[in-house]
């Protein structure tokens, strides 16, 4: 085995929740995808079948809508004394995030520094260890008057709390900021990236803990990341981002991962989506608390800085302690080349061939990588084509 925690792991598994999902998350927290983890998961799957068949139909109904009553628990102990052979869990070829590190980092870019003086190499290791990093783009700093200022003015004058992928050049330019995209590709193994969505916020969202992979993803999964740009300084009182460091190591954290059914038959109304989202936020918060994860606030991000997180990093919005304060920002989501399709997992069910595509304009994209020695990009790839299309695409008009 390669479970690297030398302490006894005590796992309480609710009978009313699919046991496999819970145990797998605990196993991953202590070392990744190993043969032992797979074997134990299979054994527990067989065990869970005998346990779950005794559950009442009423409990099953509650489970299907995400209501989790506290029930009698089974205690499972795992003792491990062997260190992992991998410095970073993503170096394990069996890990879902291995694609981000399957190629060595570009030597030329490793020597480069962001405008805060941090080397790309240092930021690279921090990102893969913690699942997040604060990046200061030199190109964004250079274009502050033509990009950052107009976006800030637009958000300041919003009459609603948020706007999604608006047809505004400065918003698109911020999402396609050259240094940010270059760095995003660098920390993801040189795979070409392209923006596909923007969200502009005037105030803190106070959104519950979630994984972005619940709402949009790729096939194969996890070829995605996000970049959040502060349009004003964050502080503990204006509802900064909250996040769970290292949570990207342990799973995808979508509906299926935490034992909830996908909602492929949900309607498009806000009310329908809210009913579908609610149980997910409640259940994930319980799991994060139960597992004893550390949580942090991104409450010291300065205007113009970019907070980048891995797609599977659990995050949300902290409470707004002072309602008179704004927290103006823009988050841009990026897909990477190498996906056969781009979809919305929460409103899909692959097993029933019910797939809701995130955007039908985003077609399958072959993987084309930067040259490691010269850092030269291929002349023109589908990432460039998708970026061009994104610059002319809008979900909401101004």
């Amino acid at each position: 085995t390669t479970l690297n925690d030398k302490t006894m792991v005590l796992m309480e598994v609710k009978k009313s929740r699919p046991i496999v999902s819970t145990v797998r998350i605990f196993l991953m927290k202590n070392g990744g995808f190993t043969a032992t983890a797979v074997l134990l998961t299979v054994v527990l799957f067989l065990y869970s079948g005998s346990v779950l068949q005794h559950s009442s139909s009423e409990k099953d109904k509650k489970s299907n809508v995400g209501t989790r009553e506290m029930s009698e628990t089974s205690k499972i102990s795992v003792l491990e004394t062997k260190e992992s052979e991998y410095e970073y869990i993503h170096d394990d070829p069996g890990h879902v995030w291995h694609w981000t590190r399957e190629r060595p980092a570009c030597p030329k870019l490793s020597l480069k520094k962001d405008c805060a003086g941090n080397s790309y190499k240092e930021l690279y290791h921090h990102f893969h260890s913690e699942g997040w990093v604060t990046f200061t783009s030199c190109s964004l700093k250079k274009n502050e008057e033509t990009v950052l200022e107009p976006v800030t003015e637009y958000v300041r004058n919003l009459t609603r709390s948020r706007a999604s992928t608006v047809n505004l050049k400065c918003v698109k330019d911020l999402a396609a900021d050259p240094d940010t995209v270059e760095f995003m590709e660098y920390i993801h193994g040189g795979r070409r990236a392209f923006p596909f969505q923007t969200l502009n916020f005037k105030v803190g969202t106070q959104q519950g803990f979630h994984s972005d992979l619940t709402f949009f993803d790729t096939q194969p999964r996890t070829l995605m990341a996000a970049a959040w740009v502060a349009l004003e300084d964050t502080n503990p009182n204006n509802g900064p981002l909250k996040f769970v460091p290292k949570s990207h190591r342990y799973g995808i954290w979508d509906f299926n991962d935490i034992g909830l059914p996908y909602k492929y038959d949900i309607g498009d109304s806000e009310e329908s989506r809210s009913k579908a989202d609610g149980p997910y936020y409640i259940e994930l918060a319980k799991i994060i608390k139960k597992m004893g994860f550390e949580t942090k606030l991104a409450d010291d991000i300065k205007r113009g800085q970019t907070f980048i997180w891995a797609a599977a990093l659990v995050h949300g919005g902290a409470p707004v302690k002072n309602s008179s304060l704004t927290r103006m920002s823009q988050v841009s989501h990026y897909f990477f080349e190498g996906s056969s399709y781009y979809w919305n997992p929460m409103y899909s069910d692959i097993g029933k061939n019910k797939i809701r595509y995130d955007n039908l304009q985003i077609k399958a994209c072959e993987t084309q990588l930067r040259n490691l020695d010269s850092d030269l990009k291929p002349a023109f790839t589908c990432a460039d084509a998708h970026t061009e299309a994104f610059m002319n695409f809008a979900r909401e008009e101004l």
Side-chain angles (χ1 to χ4, degrees), residues 19-184:
I19 291 179
V20 175
S21 296
T22 305
V23 173
R24 186 176 60 75
I25 291 172
F26 274 95
L27 290 171
M28 290 162 65
K29 186 176 181 182
N30 291 276
F33 294 86
T34 65
T36 301
V38 173
L39 177 60
L40 286 174
T41 301
V42 171
V43 172
L44 286 166
F45 176 77
L46 296 175
Y47 169 75
S48 68
S50 63
V51 172
L52 290 175
Q53 68 182 356
H54 296 296
S55 299
S56 67
S57 60
E58 184 61 30
K59 283 187 178 180
D60 289 338
K61 290 177 182 178
K62 289 182 178 181
S63 176
N64 285 337
V65 297
T67 302
R68 307 297 186 185
E69 298 293 340
M70 291 299 293
S71 58
E72 186 180 347
T73 59
S74 301
K75 293 184 178 181
I76 302 172
S77 300
V78 178
L79 181 63
E80 181 51 47
T81 59
K82 194 173 183 179
E83 293 290 340
S84 170
E85 61 184 291
Y86 301 105
E87 179 181 5
Y88 292 99
I89 198 167
H90 307 99
D91 290 328
D92 184 342
H95 194 277
V96 69
W97 274 89
H98 178 62
W99 68 271
T100 61
R101 289 174 65 88
E102 62 188 350
R103 299 175 78 236
C106 173
K108 183 178 180 181
L109 282 181
S110 294
L111 300 175
K112 190 172 180 177
K113 294 184 177 181
D114 74 351
C115 264
N118 302 305
S119 75
Y120 277 24
K121 183 178 181 179
E122 293 171 340
L123 297 176
Y124 173 93
H125 287 298
H126 186 277
F127 174 82
H128 285 283
S129 173
E130 301 294 317
W132 65 276
V133 71
T134 301
F135 176 73
T136 306
S137 167
C138 292
S139 57
L140 183 56
K141 193 171 185 179
K142 179 181 179 181
N143 297 322
E144 181 172 355
E145 291 186 5
T146 58
V147 177
L148 203 62
E149 282 292 346
V151 176
T152 304
E153 187 64 20
Y154 162 68
V155 175
R156 183 179 291 116
N157 294 316
L158 275 177
T159 56
R160 54 195 189 279
S161 62
R162 57 172 271 180
S164 174
T165 315
V166 294
N167 194 17
L168 192 63
K169 185 178 184 301
C170 58
V171 169
K172 302 295 184 69
D173 286 342
L174 181 53
D177 173 63
D179 280 3
T180 301
V181 174
E182 174 191 72
F183 179 71
M184 192 80 73

Side-chain angles (χ1 to χ4, degrees), residues 63-354:
S63 176
N64 285 337
V65 297
T67 302
R68 307 297 186 185
E69 298 293 340
M70 291 299 293
S71 58
E72 186 180 347
T73 59
S74 301
K75 293 184 178 181
I76 302 172
S77 300
V78 178
L79 181 63
E80 181 51 47
T81 59
K82 194 173 183 179
E83 293 290 340
S84 170
E85 61 184 291
Y86 301 105
E87 179 181 5
Y88 292 99
I89 198 167
H90 307 99
D91 290 328
D92 184 342
H95 194 277
V96 69
W97 274 89
H98 178 62
W99 68 271
T100 61
R101 289 174 65 88
E102 62 188 350
R103 299 175 78 236
C106 173
K108 183 178 180 181
L109 282 181
S110 294
L111 300 175
K112 190 172 180 177
K113 294 184 177 181
D114 74 351
C115 264
N118 302 305
S119 75
Y120 277 24
K121 183 178 181 179
E122 293 171 340
L123 297 176
Y124 173 93
H125 287 298
H126 186 277
F127 174 82
H128 285 283
S129 173
E130 301 294 317
W132 65 276
V133 71
T134 301
F135 176 73
T136 306
S137 167
C138 292
S139 57
L140 183 56
K141 193 171 185 179
K142 179 181 179 181
N143 297 322
E144 181 172 355
E145 291 186 5
T146 58
V147 177
L148 203 62
E149 282 292 346
V151 176
T152 304
E153 187 64 20
Y154 162 68
V155 175
R156 183 179 291 116
N157 294 316
L158 275 177
T159 56
R160 54 195 189 279
S161 62
R162 57 172 271 180
S164 174
T165 315
V166 294
N167 194 17
L168 192 63
K169 185 178 184 301
C170 58
V171 169
K172 302 295 184 69
D173 286 342
L174 181 53
D177 173 63
D179 280 3
T180 301
V181 174
E182 174 191 72
F183 179 71
M184 192 80 73
E185 294 174 350
Y186 168 74
I187 60 177
H188 288 89
R191 194 178 295 238
R192 299 295 315 284
F194 57 91
F196 69 91
Q197 185 207 49
T198 60
L199 292 168
N200 294 95
F201 298 102
K202 188 172 184 176
V203 296
T205 65
Q206 303 186 90
Q207 186 178 11
F209 276 133
H210 64 280
S211 161
D212 286 343
L213 296 174
T214 298
F215 305 106
F216 24 67
D217 199 1
T218 58
Q219 191 61 256
R221 303 202 65 175
T222 77
L223 300 177
M224 200 197 79
W228 184 93
V229 180
L231 302 178
E232 61 181 322
D233 295 354
T234 64
N235 61 68
N237 298 315
N238 68 348
L241 289 170
K242 62 180 181 180
F243 61 98
V244 182
K246 301 182 181 181
S247 55
H248 70 308
R249 296 184 178 197
Y250 315 131
I252 293 175
W253 304 103
D254 64 359
F255 268 52
N256 188 57
D257 219 27
I258 65 173
L260 295 178
Y262 287 129
K263 303 290 185 178
Y264 66 89
D265 55 351
I266 196 73
D268 289 325
S269 69
E270 283 294 327
E271 182 180 0
S272 297
R273 294 192 175 209
S274 179
K275 288 181 180 179
D277 292 355
Y280 170 77
Y281 292 124
I282 293 171
E283 188 66 18
L284 183 54
K286 288 180 181 178
I287 292 174
I288 294 300
K289 182 178 180 180
K290 190 177 183 66
M291 291 179 67
F293 275 114
E294 174 191 16
T295 61
K296 286 187 175 183
L297 298 180
D299 57 3
D300 59 350
I301 309 298
K302 303 303 180 184
R303 170 178 160 80
Q305 286 189 315
T306 303
F307 185 87
I308 297 172
W309 65 81
L313 187 80
V314 175
H315 64 283
V320 177
K321 296 181 179 179
N322 186 340
S323 59
S324 67
L325 297 177
T326 58
R327 194 216 63 181
M328 297 184 292
S329 60
Q330 174 171 316
V331 60
S332 303
H333 290 100
Y334 303 82
F335 283 139
F336 294 88
E337 292 182 339
S339 177
S340 58
Y341 59 84
Y342 303 89
W343 60 303
N344 189 317
M346 177 177 170
Y347 306 120
S348 303
D349 190 331
I350 294 180
K352 296 183 178 181
N353 199 30
K354 301 284 188 178

